[in-house]
């Protein structure tokens, strides 16, 4: 065992103890975070506008600070972007994570000197948590790859800006620099396909032990490796045993990945976003990711079914229940206040608090009142594939409200790696799984409002072509699992 792996085990033990300390006092930990946030921002413009000086309790906070999304917070953000100080948080941010908004063009999410370290620590602690639980640490001596956006940053009124993954690339600890791939030069390539080709050339003969990225884009990397080497990725990288991912559910990709790799490898799920690093998988045995309650973020939870009502109730960590679909609301040490990030989560454990990402509050299908969410379509497809040789590369779902004949239906656009022998039978399997999960959907089928879902096959690389057509190929970009409109569907039906 190398000195590096021994050191990693010792650090893992230390971090585990610190994590247990705050995880065992969740309510107290979160109250401390809220108190700290309010005290640090009480003399900002936002703090002044919302009477932070007189906020003593969570009830005070909820009464004075309404839930907002980016558009609603934008008047404040615009002032920060112009270079003004003490607007949402004391001083000025050190970075903006630039993301593409759906309605607002570019979104500028502030990162402060207080918030930035938590992005780095959380990713590190996820790996250390894995080391502590499994005792496996040899991988720290091999090469690690993080498929991410370009680290080239722009500057706006004295504040640097870029993609979050590109910003994080500037904070890789020194002890990882020699192990890290790809090279800086390759990482700076903007065109995603060119970049992946360069990464394949650069990593092909290296001892890769850890690979990290969004599954859909890692899959592209694996396929190109397979084409080049003519053998499974696990034979090309004999010591590759840990896959780290975030952004989307891995389950729809798992069978395809195991086929490409040629064996099973351990995986760690992360829940990062430009707005904060919220959770990571702390156990290989338990379902869900540990919600980070001591990382400069105060969490609130609104039941998804109540979210669009006049005044939905805002729950704190001590009030949540297992299995309920909540919209995640955050207040952070980067100056986001009662901010709706758009993700929905469900708790899988309350001791400690673990969550899964169930979808997006804007990504659902309810064209007929069925309230279908991302987790349901992913689980249904997973169940339908069990015990078959079917493998799926990518998929999305949209309602077909005005078919040329017959009843309306949900249309599933699926890019198969291995097609089912009978596509109608496979559609029935998915439909059955959907009806078991969602009683509204079942009622609509029984009541002859909807007919059984229809599968439309998508050609190989069809979804990559779609993402390319909207300028979102690669990086941190993700394909929506479902939509209440037919914008994506129209691309494949034109």
């Amino acid at each position: 065992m190398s000195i590096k792996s021994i050191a990693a085990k010792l650090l893992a033990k230390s971090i585990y103890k610190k994590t247990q300390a705050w995880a065992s006092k969740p309510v107290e930990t979160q109250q401390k975070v809220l108190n700290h946030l309010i005290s640090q921002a009480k003399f900002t413009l936002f703090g002044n506008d919302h009477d932070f000086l007189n906020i003593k309790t969570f009830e005070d906070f909820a009464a004075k600070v309404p839930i907002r999304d980016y558009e609603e917070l934008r008047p404040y953000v615009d002032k920060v972007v112009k270079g003004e100080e003490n607007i949402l948080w004391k001083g000025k941010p050190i970075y903006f994570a630039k993301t593409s908004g759906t309605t607002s063009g570019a979104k500028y999410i502030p990162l402060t000197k207080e918030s930035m370290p938590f992005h780095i620590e959380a990713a590190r602690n996820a790996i250390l948590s894995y080391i502590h639980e499994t005792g496996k640490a040899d991988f720290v001596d091999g090469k690690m790859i993080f498929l991410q956006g370009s680290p080239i940053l722009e500057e706006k009124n004295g504040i640097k800006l870029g993609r979050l993954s590109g910003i994080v690339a500037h904070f890789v600890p020194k002890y990882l620099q020699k192990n890290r791939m790809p090279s800086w030069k390759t990482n700076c390539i903007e065109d995603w396909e060119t970049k992946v080709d360069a990464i394949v050339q650069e990593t092909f003969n290296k001892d890769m032990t850890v690979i990290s990225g969004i599954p859909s884009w890692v899959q592209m990397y694996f396929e190109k490796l397979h084409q080049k080497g003519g053998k499974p990725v696990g034979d090309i990288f004999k010591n590759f045993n840990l896959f780290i991912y975030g952004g989307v559910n891995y389950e729809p990709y798992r069978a395809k990945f195991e086929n490409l790799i040629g064996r099973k490898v351990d995986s760690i799920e992360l829940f990062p976003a430009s707005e904060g690093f919220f959770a990571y998988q702390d156990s290989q045995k338990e379902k869900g990711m540990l919600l980070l309650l001591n990382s400069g973020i105060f969490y609130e939870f609104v039941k998804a079914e109540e979210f669009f009502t006049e005044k939905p109730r805002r729950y704190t960590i001590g009030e949540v229940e297992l299995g309920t679909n909540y919209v995640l609301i955050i207040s952070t040490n980067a100056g986001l206040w009662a901010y709706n990030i758009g993700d929905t989560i469900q708790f899988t454990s309350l001791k400690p608090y673990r969550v899964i990402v169930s979808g997006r509050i804007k990504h659902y299908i309810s064209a007929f009142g069925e309230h279908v969410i991302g987790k349901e379509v992913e689980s249904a497809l997973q169940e339908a594939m069990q015990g078959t040789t079917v493998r799926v590369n990518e998929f999305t779902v949209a309602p077909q409200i005005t078919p040329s004949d017959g009843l309306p239906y949900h249309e599933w656009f699926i890019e198969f790696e291995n097609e089912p022998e009978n596509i109608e039978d496979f559609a029935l399997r998915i439909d059955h799984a959907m009806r078991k999960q969602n009683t509204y959907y079942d009622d609509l089928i029984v009541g002859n409002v909807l007919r059984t879902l229809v599968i439309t096959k998508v050609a190989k690389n069809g979804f990559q072509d779609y993402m390319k057509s909207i300028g979102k190929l690669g990086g941190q970009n993700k394909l929506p699992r479902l939509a209440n409109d037919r914008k994506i569907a129209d691309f494949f039906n034109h």
Side-chain angles (χ1 to χ4, degrees), residues 52-81:
F52 275 21
L53 280 170
N54 290 307
I55 292 178
K56 305 289 185 245
T57 64
F58 166 67
E59 288 71 26
D60 293 342
F61 178 77
K64 292 174 189 291
V65 184
I67 293 171
R68 289 176 167 95
D69 60 16
Y70 185 83
E71 279 303 299
E72 291 163 319
L73 197 67
R74 191 170 183 165
Y76 290 99
V77 177
D78 285 348
K79 288 179 188 294
V80 183
V81 173

Side-chain angles (χ1 to χ4, degrees), residues 335-382:
L336 300 175
W337 299 101
Y339 185 84
N340 170 24
I341 63 165
D343 286 321
T344 56
I345 54 111
Q346 292 178 6
F347 285 89
T348 58
S349 160
L350 303 182
K351 279 189 177 180
Y353 286 92
R354 292 195 182 98
V355 299
I356 55 167
V357 180
S358 52
R360 299 276 296 163
I361 192 64
K362 290 179 180 173
H363 292 169
Y364 60 89
I365 297 177
S366 202
F368 306 90
E370 58 271 50
H371 309 296
V372 170
I373 60 172
K375 177 180 173 286
E376 291 170 343
V377 295
E378 289 177 334
S379 298
L381 180 62
Q382 198 62 29

